[in-house]
Amino acid sequence: MTRKQLIIDSAITLFSEKGIESTSVQQITNHCGISKGAFYLSFKSKDELVFSIIEHFLNTIISEVDQAVTTASEPAEKLYMYFSKTFSILSHYTTFADILMREKVSTFSDEHLEKIHYYIMLSNKNLEKLLLSVFGDQINGKQYDLVIVVNGMVQAYLQWIFEIKKPFDVDLLARSLVEKTTIIAQNSTLRFLDETC
């Protein structure tokens, strides 16, 4: 494990236990067994560390979901794997994500916000390709609306997961979302968006 990964793993643990704002760089370095100087060789600040965790989290979701979808052979299985893998990964990071959403974390730089936007765009493009491969021409022109609808369902269920704070059936949730997405994809007639942003 690299020093950067050790710091990230330790920070996630401490942030989950104490909160982001209440965790100091000194506590992180003590947990890692490294000096503050070693920390600052890896990260310029605690804010940069928090952004690195978010970037790691987004990159993990995109790459692991893409890999799971690619290995599935049937269209319905691809969509199932999308939801199943997404919620499996998100449930692993639930505590940290919940803290990140609740706490006032220092504002990110424009560069960090651009990177987050890049990951969101990449995720949306991957989802759009997936939906077109699953539903084909029947959603042609409506895929942009469907991307927003799927993202909205994922966010709503994620909020529910934050609130219940207990284990849930990922398989049932994934199958339920496949059903809902299929009903919307096959039965919607109006489109609102010409492209996603």
Side-chain angles (χ1 to χ4, degrees):
M1 178 182 300
T2 66
R3 179 175 58 215
K4 260 189 158 180
Q5 192 59 51
L6 174 65
I7 294 169
I8 287 172
D9 291 347
S10 293
I12 289 172
T13 300
L14 292 172
F15 291 161
S16 298
E17 291 171 3
K18 302 171 184 258
I20 296 169
E21 293 297 322
S22 298
T23 303
S24 68
V25 170
Q26 185 65 56
Q27 290 169 322
I28 295 167
T29 58
N30 289 347
H31 192 268
C32 293
I34 62 171
S35 68
K36 269 187 164 181
F39 174 90
Y40 289 112
L41 286 173
S42 298
F43 300 99
K44 293 177 189 170
S45 64
K46 188 168 88 171
D47 283 346
E48 185 177 293
L49 168 62
V50 172
F51 175 76
S52 293
I53 293 170
I54 293 169
E55 187 175 37
H56 170 74
F57 172 67
L58 294 172
N59 196 25
T60 298
I61 289 176
I62 290 169
S63 62
E64 289 190 21
V65 167
D66 189 50
Q67 183 180 8
V69 167
T70 303
T71 59
S73 56
E74 298 296 317
E77 184 187 3
K78 287 178 184 281
L79 193 55
Y80 169 83
M81 290 305 296
Y82 172 83
F83 288 121
S84 177
K85 197 63 167 174
T86 297
F87 280 101
S88 293
I89 295 167
L90 289 173
S91 66
H92 180 72
Y93 290 99
T94 300
T95 306
F96 175 73
D98 187 31
I99 288 169
L100 186 65
M101 292 172 78
R102 282 187 290 115
E103 286 196 27
K104 182 182 176 187
V105 180
S106 299
T107 309
F108 291 127
S109 69
D110 288 343
E111 178 187 349
H112 287 157
L113 293 175
E114 283 178 29
K115 283 184 181 178
I116 290 172
H117 183 70
Y118 164 77
Y119 283 110
I120 291 169
M121 292 298 296
L122 181 59
S123 177
N124 285 344
K125 279 291 176 199
N126 288 347
L127 178 55
E128 180 187 331
K129 282 191 259 183
L130 169 64
L131 293 168
L132 284 168
S133 76
V134 171
F135 298 109
D137 290 342
Q138 66 182 320
I139 65 161
N140 203 10
K142 299 182 289 185
Q143 70 268 27
Y144 310 114
D145 287 306
L146 200 50
V147 165
I148 299 297
V149 169
V150 168
N151 283 335
M153 288 191 299
V154 168
Q155 288 175 11
Y157 279 99
L158 184 59
Q159 183 64 42
W160 173 80
I161 291 165
F162 287 162
E163 289 170 7
I164 65 161
K165 295 182 189 272
K166 59 184 179 182
F168 63 98
D169 188 339
V170 173
D171 173 64
L172 179 60
L173 177 56
R175 287 187 291 117
S176 169
L177 289 173
V178 168
E179 178 187 66
K180 289 167 180 56
T181 304
T182 302
I183 290 168
I184 294 167
Q186 292 177 345
N187 295 296
S188 65
T189 56
L190 297 175
R191 75 176 191 204
F192 177 71
L193 299 174
D194 291 325
E195 62 180 313
T196 54
C197 43

